[in-house]
Amino acid sequence: MQTGVIAIIGAIYVVGCFILQFDTFEGALSIPKAFSWLLINFQPTQNSMSYLPQIMTKLFETVLMSIASVVVAGIIAIFFAIVGSKATGINKFTQILVRGIASFFRNIPLVAWAMILLFSFKQSNFTGFLALLLMTVGFLMRAFMEIIEDEAGEAMLALKATGASYFQVIFQAVIPQIIPSLISWILYMIENNVRDATLVGILTGTGIGFIFDLYYKSFRFDAAGMTVLAIIVVVIVLETLSNQIRKVIL
């Protein structure tokens, strides 16, 4: 079975290379040259330190935009997740409707959202915020519905057995039970959005992505390398902090 699957994947790869006229051997040989070029040209220098204040300012804006988009998306998502969950949904129609909305927002690529919104809102921080918000809402709605269905079932049954009303079950059983998992997902999406915000910024002309694109297109590769290094450091710091918080709450 496994051999057959590997053979099928290999055959698809070979056919794809033939159609696209891609030479695997030449492609493999070009990888060391590409990394060598990156290490030489994107290496931060003493001169690139002068760009650091501007880089950090834009990176700070990007982090704030990412956090804001996740917080707003989390508030929206928890409401729709409660309405759309099989455990807490009002009726079958609302469950199907909410799941359809979640799938719609989640399956449209972030790049597509950024380009669509760019035509309506032009180049602005609000455009980047909206692109991150819409994609994040879709992911969190789906994740929150699964969390409710997996973790809140027993607490709901226990409270319903005492004659509690629908809203009492939601606010006294469901939400307190799932808060640690919600926070964990929110922290993950903040990390993810900081990385995605770089791409959004390139498309919408905002944040750290705009600065990177500006340096790259003006052939200031050392400054572009400093920008990439700053993004890596911030993402690692955020990931470390979120991991520590997860250890405490989970």
Side-chain angles (χ1 to χ4, degrees), residues 97-109 113 116 134-135 138:
L97 178 63
V98 170
R99 289 177 183 274
I101 293 172
S103 296
F104 174 77
F105 285 112
R106 185 166 54 92
N107 290 318
I108 295 180
W113 277 124
I116 292 169
L134 294 176
M135 184 204 66

Side-chain angles (χ1 to χ4, degrees), residues 80-106 141-142 145 149:
F80 279 100
I82 291 172
V83 174
S85 170
K86 293 179 181 178
T88 58
I90 299 173
N91 53 52
K92 194 70 174 179
F93 173 76
T94 58
Q95 293 174 15
I96 296 174
L97 178 63
V98 170
R99 289 177 183 274
I101 293 172
S103 296
F104 174 77
F105 285 112
R106 185 166 54 92
M141 283 172 62
R142 181 70 178 182
M145 283 189 287
E149 293 166 7

Side-chain angles (χ1 to χ4, degrees), residues 21-231:
Q21 297 182 348
F22 173 71
D23 191 324
T24 303
F25 183 71
E26 289 186 6
L29 290 178
S30 66
I31 292 175
K33 296 179 182 179
F35 278 102
S36 176
W37 185 89
L38 286 174
L39 290 174
I40 294 171
N41 292 278
F42 272 71
Q43 184 177 2
T45 62
Q46 187 174 359
N47 180 57
S48 60
M49 292 296 294
S50 61
Y51 297 101
L52 194 57
Q54 186 180 23
I55 292 171
M56 295 309 298
T57 299
K58 290 297 183 180
L59 188 54
F60 182 67
E61 291 178 4
T62 300
V63 172
L64 289 181
M65 182 172 64
S66 302
I67 294 173
S69 64
V70 174
V71 170
V72 175
I75 295 172
I76 297 172
I78 187 60
F79 170 77
F80 279 100
I82 291 172
V83 174
S85 170
K86 293 179 181 178
T88 58
I90 299 173
N91 53 52
K92 194 70 174 179
F93 173 76
T94 58
Q95 293 174 15
I96 296 174
L97 178 63
V98 170
R99 289 177 183 274
I101 293 172
S103 296
F104 174 77
F105 285 112
R106 185 166 54 92
N107 290 318
I108 295 180
L110 181 62
V111 175
W113 277 124
M115 296 302 295
I116 292 169
L117 295 170
L118 185 62
F119 291 112
S120 300
F121 299 97
K122 309 304 178 185
Q123 289 186 334
S124 66
N125 286 327
F126 186 65
T127 304
F129 169 81
L130 274 182
L132 292 172
L133 174 67
L134 294 176
M135 184 204 66
T136 306
V137 163
F139 273 98
L140 289 184
M141 283 172 62
R142 181 70 178 182
F144 289 177
M145 283 189 287
E146 291 180 357
I147 290 171
I148 292 172
E149 293 166 7
D150 293 340
E151 299 183 10
E154 294 182 3
M156 287 179 58
L157 292 175
L159 208 57
K160 283 181 178 180
T162 64
S165 65
Y166 176 79
F167 289 104
Q168 287 175 328
V169 170
I170 297 298
F171 290 104
Q172 299 299 324
V174 176
I175 293 179
Q177 183 76 18
I178 64 175
I179 280 179
S181 297
L182 299 187
I183 295 175
S184 178
W185 263 98
I186 287 172
L187 291 172
Y188 168 75
M189 290 306 299
I190 289 174
E191 299 170 28
N192 190 70
N193 278 12
V194 170
R195 292 187 289 265
D196 288 342
T198 303
L199 177 59
V200 171
I202 293 174
L203 297 172
T204 60
T206 58
I208 194 66
F210 171 72
I211 290 296
F212 173 81
D213 192 46
L214 178 65
Y215 293 156
Y216 182 80
K217 288 181 177 178
S218 59
F219 301 103
R220 287 176 282 180
F221 297 131
D222 59 328
M226 178 64 75
T227 305
V228 173
L229 181 61
I231 294 170

